Amino acid sequence: MKIIPSILTGDREQFQNELLKYNVFFDEIQIDIADGVFVPNKTLGMEVQDIIPENIKISLHLMVNSPWEYITQIKTNNITSCICHVEVSADFADIKNKLVKLGVVFGLAVNPDTNMDSYLETVTNADFIQLMGVNPGFQGQQFIPKTLEKYEALKKTGKPVWLDGGINEKTIDLIRDYDFQTIVVGSYFQSGDLNYKLQLLKERLWIKD
């Protein structure tokens, strides 16, 4: 199990500050891009590629209605994985083929309210699945425990499962018995002693450095 931070902001200065802070403790960061349509929030777009240090691996989380438009703008080797939302209307086969050519791993995110009966076949085409612990678009939301009910169905696909959203020192105990490959943490890491908080989560999840 691995823990990585996420950045979700429309402010360039905040983006740069969080990037520099996380670069000290992490070799991978998830960058959330929201279009103001699929979710009500709007963030910085693909221009963030121009300010990412070369040593940081990026997981690109596209909370957008038209992921193809963003994927065709990928121009940096920093982006190692790209996550689209299963709920959008898109040709995921074409998207995956494009990402393979770019050397980028393809993920599909699943929202808390999504009925998996309609999407199980679709998510099996992804390289991994990101289960959302909150409704996407804004950081600082409360974790939705009911979303964990999707875990067993997702694991049966044989794909690695990530968890994103609502993770802190209180909710971490809810997930410690689940075999998530990656835990994505947002607002919990934004303030306070980052190293202390990271070590606390690792201890609760029995992760060794």
Side-chain angles (χ1 to χ4, degrees):
M1 190 179 291
K2 180 178 183 179
I3 298 174
I4 65 173
S6 65
I7 299 176
L8 190 159
T9 181
D11 184 272
R12 186 182 180 92
E13 183 177 356
Q14 181 182 346
F15 181 91
Q16 290 176 311
N17 289 339
E18 290 189 22
L19 199 61
L20 290 172
K21 178 177 69 174
Y22 294 146
N23 192 19
V24 176
F25 298 98
F26 302 93
D27 62 2
E28 182 175 4
I29 297 171
Q30 185 162 114
I31 294 177
D32 296 328
I33 292 183
D35 62 358
V37 181
F38 179 68
V39 294
N41 190 20
K42 188 169 185 179
T43 66
L44 298 174
M46 295 300 286
E47 70 271 15
V48 299
Q49 296 178 95
D50 299 329
I51 51 179
I52 299 171
E54 293 182 0
N55 64 311
I56 298 180
K57 291 187 292 184
I58 295 299
S59 174
L60 192 66
H61 179 193
L62 297 177
M63 301 182 291
V64 302
N65 255 359
S66 302
W68 181 261
E69 296 176 14
Y70 294 78
I71 288 167
T72 55
Q73 297 178 55
I74 292 176
K75 61 180 181 180
T76 174
N77 293 330
N78 296 67
I79 298 173
T80 56
S81 64
C82 181
I83 304 159
C84 305
H85 271 263
V86 71
E87 299 86 3
V88 304
S89 179
D91 189 330
F92 293 123
D94 278 354
I95 286 174
K96 183 172 183 178
N97 289 336
K98 176 67 173 178
L99 292 174
V100 167
K101 291 178 182 178
L102 294 170
V104 177
V105 178
F106 173 50
L108 278 172
V110 177
N111 284 343
D113 293 333
T114 295
N115 184 338
M116 287 313 304
D117 293 341
S118 304
Y119 293 106
L120 272 178
E121 184 175 349
T122 302
V123 296
T124 58
N125 294 317
D127 297 308
F128 67 95
I129 304 162
Q130 179 160 294
L131 179 60
M132 300 302 297
V134 299
N135 292 307
F138 296 92
Q139 289 186 339
Q141 300 181 68
Q142 290 188 347
F143 184 73
I144 303 173
K146 190 175 180 180
T147 197
L148 294 172
E149 295 176 4
K150 296 182 177 66
Y151 173 82
E152 292 299 331
L154 295 178
K155 285 299 290 186
K156 287 179 181 178
T157 66
K159 306 295 182 179
V161 181
W162 295 22
L163 179 67
D164 176 22
I167 301 303
N168 54 45
E169 79 283 357
K170 296 178 180 178
T171 58
I172 196 68
D173 291 335
L174 297 175
I175 67 168
R176 66 191 303 174
D177 293 326
Y178 293 83
D179 185 24
F180 291 110
Q181 184 190 70
T182 301
I183 305 294
V184 185
V185 181
S187 60
Y188 181 61
F189 283 160
Q190 285 185 334
S191 61
D193 187 328
L194 175 56
N195 185 49
Y196 170 79
K197 289 185 172 183
L198 175 60
Q199 295 309 316
L200 185 150
L201 296 189
K202 285 183 175 181
E203 288 174 7
R204 296 281 186 87
L205 295 173
W206 305 297
I207 297 176
K208 295 182 179 180
D209 288 322

